[in-house]
Amino acid sequence: MKKRWISASAMVFALAGGFYWLGDNFSLGAADETEIIFEEEFEEEEELFYGINIKELDVIEGVVGKNQTLSTILAPFNVPYQIIDEIARKSIDIFDVKKIAFNKKFIVLTPKDSSQAQFFIYEPNPVEYVVFKLDEVEVYKEEKPIELRHVEIGGVITKNLYTNMVDLGVNVGLIDKFADLFGWNVDFMSTPPGDKFKVVFKEKVVDGNVVGFTDIEAAFFEHKGQEYHAIPFTQNGELTFFDQNGNSFKKAFLRHPLEYSRISSRFNLNRFHPVQKVYKPHLGTDYAAKTGTEIRTIGDGTVVEARFTSANGNYVKIKHNGTYTTQYLHMSKIASGIKPGTRVKQGQVIGFVGSTGLATGPHLCFRFWKNGQQVDWLKEEIPPSDPISPENRLAFEQVKLEKMQQIAAIPLTEKPDKLVAEN
């Protein structure tokens, strides 16, 4: 807050007849010229950068070099080592400075009359930033404003769902959600040219760059002439997707234990084993993926085995109920906390793709038991969750009409463009 003094001259007249205004300051019939002083308070205009007023500061931007640490970054800015050490210890619960990573953006703010850094700002990701206030040894984390941008995309399969969606600018994570949604209705490993897709969602935008997305708001897939509409509706306190007939898309199990990925070898009772060099039943479904890819349990259940054997490598076995059990083989490692007796939820990460045991390369061998007998997972029919209840039918029909009209209005394109409708 600053103060400014303003002076003004005013001619003040006292009227004849003995009137006195504010005491005896003005004489009868006199014409006095008086200087009046006004005191005005005003806010100095700020220039905010990461929420900090930089009007009196110099801004130095950079990126973390190889093997750089907080100490080596701040060394050229005359920050005493004891302050660096103190702020590193003080910040551990907010942001561990050991996690400062190569090629990440940072900003140093110094007073205009000094070369010693007053602030150090680090961006661990496009949304968050950490402020180190060096003169007061204070650390805090903030988020940049996120803009939600409404997006509607429609396309035709010419190669496969993944390639065509990526060509239209769809985030890979959203493609995985789309594939999970329709996975029990469509085999995305073998979609023919001419199949159609549409999806409505919101992009999260920071500084003009897309950094994520919200949940799918409506979706559509046409497979070999069969249309599937995914209509979101809240029933029994849970938001679930239903088809145009009111049947739930949700089932007790996810369709695949990996996010949308290529199946390299299907269930085969007479497969030539690539390691043992003999023909023998292959009682699982193989999913090719890079080492370290997250493996998720397809359903709720209890871990009954989590260990290593020479044939299976690192593996986890989960009992879901009295009918179904699943097993996940050849992991590079088992996820932390996964051990016999652990309760797991559908979609929870239980391990990571590897090539331990009898495996020639990184992949997941997934096995599925029904009533104690291994069966072909890809041919199993799993019953869905409850359909729209009679008391919710009218409300659902209203939502369905709105969403189907929205989907119908989305044009189909094979070009790498997308239709963006601003809210």
Side-chain angles (χ1 to χ4, degrees):
M1 181 78 68
K2 289 196 173 183
K3 294 182 178 180
R4 179 168 56 195
W5 297 93
I6 302 173
S7 67
S9 294
M11 296 298 294
V12 182
F13 295 92
L15 298 177
F19 289 97
Y20 287 86
W21 182 30
L22 295 177
D24 298 325
N25 291 329
F26 305 111
S27 60
L28 289 173
D32 292 344
E33 182 176 313
T34 303
E35 185 177 48
I36 303 173
I37 307 298
F38 298 91
E39 179 183 334
E40 180 184 61
E41 292 185 347
F42 68 97
E43 290 284 350
E44 184 180 21
E45 185 178 351
E46 294 183 333
E47 186 180 344
L48 295 180
F49 185 63
Y50 290 87
I52 300 168
N53 184 10
I54 60 169
K55 204 168 184 67
E56 303 298 329
L57 300 174
D58 286 327
V59 179
I60 301 98
E61 298 188 8
V63 293
V64 179
K66 287 185 178 180
N67 302 317
Q68 271 199 303
T69 63
L70 179 64
S71 180
T72 58
I73 293 171
L74 292 179
F77 298 98
N78 302 313
V79 181
Y81 177 77
Q82 59 267 31
I83 290 181
I84 296 175
D85 180 61
E86 184 180 353
I87 205 159
R89 286 186 284 105
K90 192 172 184 178
S91 68
I92 192 109
D93 293 332
I94 301 169
F95 177 79
D96 186 351
V97 299
K98 293 178 182 178
K99 294 182 179 179
I100 288 177
F102 171 66
N103 215 30
K104 295 290 186 178
K105 182 180 177 180
F106 70 81
I107 298 96
V108 176
L109 304 179
T110 64
K112 290 186 180 296
D113 58 356
S114 171
S115 60
Q116 182 172 326
Q118 185 175 343
F119 292 91
F120 173 71
I121 304 166
Y122 175 74
E123 293 188 4
N125 56 62
V127 178
E128 295 180 316
Y129 61 91
V130 186
V131 177
F132 299 82
K133 195 172 183 181
L134 303 172
D135 56 349
E136 297 181 9
V137 193
E138 180 185 349
V139 185
Y140 58 91
K141 184 186 290 186
E142 297 285 352
E143 288 189 358
K144 297 179 182 180
I146 298 176
E147 172 196 353
L148 293 179
R149 187 163 61 195
H150 184 78
V151 181
E152 299 175 351
I153 291 177
V156 179
I157 300 293
T158 57
K159 297 177 182 177
N160 56 62
L161 180 74
Y162 179 90
T163 301
N164 289 116
M165 276 195 159
V166 167
D167 286 347
L168 290 172
V170 180
N171 181 284
V172 173
L174 190 117
I175 298 173
D176 289 330
K177 286 184 176 292
F178 188 94
D180 277 344
L181 183 58
F182 291 100
W184 284 102
N185 302 102
V186 180
D187 180 3
F188 287 112
M189 309 302 172
S190 59
T191 49
D195 278 6
K196 303 175 180 65
F197 61 86
K198 296 181 180 183
V199 62
V200 179
F201 61 99
K202 285 185 175 66
E203 289 178 331
K204 296 179 179 179
V205 181
V206 173
D207 295 336
N209 300 311
V210 177
V211 298
F213 55 91
T214 63
D215 289 335
I216 291 172
E217 296 178 5
F220 166 87
F221 198 84
E222 181 182 316
H223 180 53
K224 298 179 180 179
Q226 177 68 46
E227 294 186 349
Y228 301 95
H229 285 82
I231 314 297
F233 188 81
T234 300
Q235 180 167 271
N236 300 325
E238 180 182 8
L239 181 64
T240 306
F241 283 91
F242 298 85
D243 67 18
Q244 57 268 43
N245 299 315
N247 297 313
S248 176
F249 277 90
K250 183 179 180 180
K251 299 198 177 187
F253 299 131
L254 296 172
R255 191 66 181 107
H256 302 295
L258 302 180
E259 291 184 334
Y260 182 45
S261 179
R262 180 174 65 87
I263 298 176
S264 62
S265 176
R266 293 177 181 271
F267 187 94
N268 186 345
L269 292 176
N270 194 32
R271 185 188 69 151
F272 183 75
H273 196 284
V275 176
Q276 297 176 330
K277 307 301 182 184
V278 295
Y279 284 94
K280 60 185 297 185
H282 181 238
L283 302 178
T285 302
D286 286 351
Y287 292 82
K290 294 180 180 179
T291 297
T293 299
E294 293 180 343
I295 299 169
R296 55 190 184 171
T297 173
I298 62 167
D300 297 352
T302 301
V303 176
V304 291
E305 294 180 33
R307 61 193 182 98
F308 176 88
T309 66
S310 58
N312 295 340
N314 294 314
Y315 77 94
V316 173
K317 193 171 186 179
I318 297 172
K319 184 178 181 65
H320 300 283
N321 52 37
T323 304
Y324 300 112
T325 302
T326 56
Q327 189 179 24
Y328 311 75
L329 281 60
H330 308 306
M331 295 177 173
S332 58
K333 64 178 181 178
I334 297 169
S336 176
I338 300 301
K339 57 187 178 181
T342 301
R343 286 287 302 170
V344 292
K345 301 292 290 182
Q346 185 181 77
Q348 182 177 335
V349 175
I350 57 172
F352 305 89
V353 169
S355 52
T356 57
L358 293 179
T360 56
H363 73 285
L364 167 68
C365 176
F366 174 70
R367 302 196 173 202
F368 187 80
W369 279 264
K370 182 178 182 179
N371 295 319
Q373 191 79 22
Q374 286 195 63
V375 296
D376 185 351
W377 163 243
L378 296 178
K379 293 181 180 178
E380 277 301 300
E381 291 289 336
I382 305 297
S385 300
D386 294 336
I388 289 293
S389 61
E391 58 269 26
N392 287 329
R393 175 58 68 172
L394 181 59
F396 172 74
E397 291 296 330
Q398 293 174 336
V399 174
K400 182 181 81 171
L401 177 62
E402 174 191 334
K403 294 297 183 181
M404 290 183 68
Q405 288 176 339
Q406 183 180 26
I407 287 291
I410 300 174
L412 296 170
T413 178
E414 297 178 13
K415 298 179 181 180
D417 300 311
K418 61 184 178 182
L419 174 68
V420 178
E422 297 286 353
N423 270 349

